[in-house]
Amino acid sequence: MAEKNSDLKLLSAWYSPMATRVKIALNIKGLEYENIEEDLNSKSDLLLRSNPVHKKIPVLIHGDKPICESVLIVQYIDEVWSNGPSILLQDAYDRAIARFWVSYIDEKLFVCTMSILEAGEDEEQKKPHFEQLEEEILVRLEEAFNKYSEGKSFFGGNKIGLIDIMFGSFLPVLGLIEEINGKKVLVDDKFPGLVNWAANFTANSAVTGTLPEIDRLILFAKAQQQKWALAYKATSAN
């Protein structure tokens, strides 16, 4: 049951993987919040006041205190509402390893998927980014999952942790890329661990109903055309 907290507001955009991260963390902790949908083509005064440096979403407003950047927000939620299920691992070394992979996801996966979207229908421009995605990024993440999950459902073991939230927020983006390019990327014969992980992640009660629907993303992407990549880029990269 969600804990009532009228002091929590989230500035977000429905298609943003970065905002999705915060929503999942709030769900894990069982917190109620007011979700304020931002139009990034016409940013609200509240967003500009709350994040005057980057002017990006997501922003969590706790009382009158804004917290920016999805990774920092998730860690803030875990620390402030420590009575709920833990998101970060207890061991300092394990937390450092998780933060390393979070950085890898945002530095590699975010940039690579954005480059594919920006390329539009230019197959030659997309080719090296698809190669990087399939032959480097997902290979590394498959190896990391097999190493750190220890045969369990999630990167964090038996429950969703920091890496799961950060990577899982990109599953709709990967689905969008697969649909608009007519090719599967996350396939069982190459990435069996990640395929099983993705199924467990999307079925989790904290995630269900939080990830944007692929069909809606496709319609949005087609309507926006090149503006899609700009809108995607306008969300916080961390």
Side-chain angles (χ1 to χ4, degrees):
M1 185 175 181
E3 176 185 327
K4 292 187 180 298
N5 194 317
S6 59
D7 290 336
L8 283 176
K9 297 180 176 66
L10 176 62
L11 309 185
S12 70
W14 67 268
Y15 53 82
S16 167
M18 309 308 173
T20 296
R21 294 171 168 182
V22 181
K23 293 175 184 177
I24 293 170
L26 290 166
N27 288 346
I28 288 172
K29 295 292 184 176
L31 297 169
E32 287 188 348
Y33 61 96
E34 179 184 355
N35 184 65
I36 301 174
E37 192 76 10
E38 284 285 337
D39 178 358
L40 298 181
N41 293 314
S42 179
K43 298 176 182 179
S44 71
D45 290 339
L46 180 59
L47 174 58
L48 298 177
R49 290 197 311 270
S50 301
N51 190 356
V53 176
H54 296 301
K55 303 177 178 62
K56 293 180 178 181
I57 55 125
V59 179
L60 181 71
I61 303 175
H62 185 196
D64 59 355
K65 300 175 182 177
I67 306 98
C68 307
E69 309 292 344
S70 65
V71 178
L72 302 181
I73 296 171
V74 170
Q75 293 181 75
Y76 176 85
I77 291 168
D78 195 47
E79 292 171 2
V80 172
W81 289 276
S82 56
N83 57 323
S86 296
I87 294 172
L88 275 75
L89 298 170
Q90 296 302 308
D91 182 77
Y93 177 76
D94 291 339
R95 290 198 302 272
I97 293 298
R99 287 172 176 138
F100 169 85
W101 285 107
V102 168
S103 295
Y104 182 86
I105 289 163
D106 282 347
E107 292 171 5
K108 294 287 188 176
L109 184 61
F110 177 86
V111 173
C112 183
T113 53
M114 186 174 66
S115 297
I116 292 172
L117 290 170
E118 287 179 329
E121 298 180 359
D122 189 331
E123 298 300 325
E124 286 302 311
Q125 188 177 344
K126 286 189 289 188
K127 184 178 178 180
H129 302 301
F130 265 112
E131 290 175 352
Q132 182 189 26
L133 179 63
E134 296 174 302
E135 298 174 17
E136 177 192 338
I137 297 171
L138 293 178
V139 170
R140 294 292 188 192
L141 288 168
E142 173 80 9
E143 292 171 350
F145 176 76
N146 291 334
K147 180 176 181 179
Y148 297 113
S149 67
E150 298 179 341
K152 298 173 183 176
S153 297
F154 303 107
F155 283 88
N158 288 319
K159 61 183 182 179
I160 288 177
L162 187 64
I163 303 175
D164 302 289
I165 295 172
M166 300 301 143
F167 183 21
S169 65
F170 278 103
L171 288 175
V173 178
L174 290 176
L176 170 65
I177 287 173
E178 290 178 334
E179 287 294 325
I180 63 179
N181 288 280
K183 60 180 293 187
K184 293 290 289 182
V185 174
L186 206 59
V187 291
D188 189 61
D189 60 335
K190 291 181 67 176
F191 310 112
L194 292 183
V195 169
N196 288 331
W197 163 81
N200 289 322
F201 180 81
T202 55
N204 188 274
S205 60
V207 179
T208 303
T210 303
L211 300 177
E213 297 176 355
I214 303 299
D215 289 345
R216 190 180 179 195
L217 281 177
I218 292 170
L219 290 174
F220 180 71
K222 287 180 178 178
Q224 294 289 309
Q225 295 181 349
Q226 291 301 315
K227 290 181 181 179
W228 157 257
L230 295 176
Y232 181 35
K233 192 173 184 178
T235 69
S236 171
N238 45 39

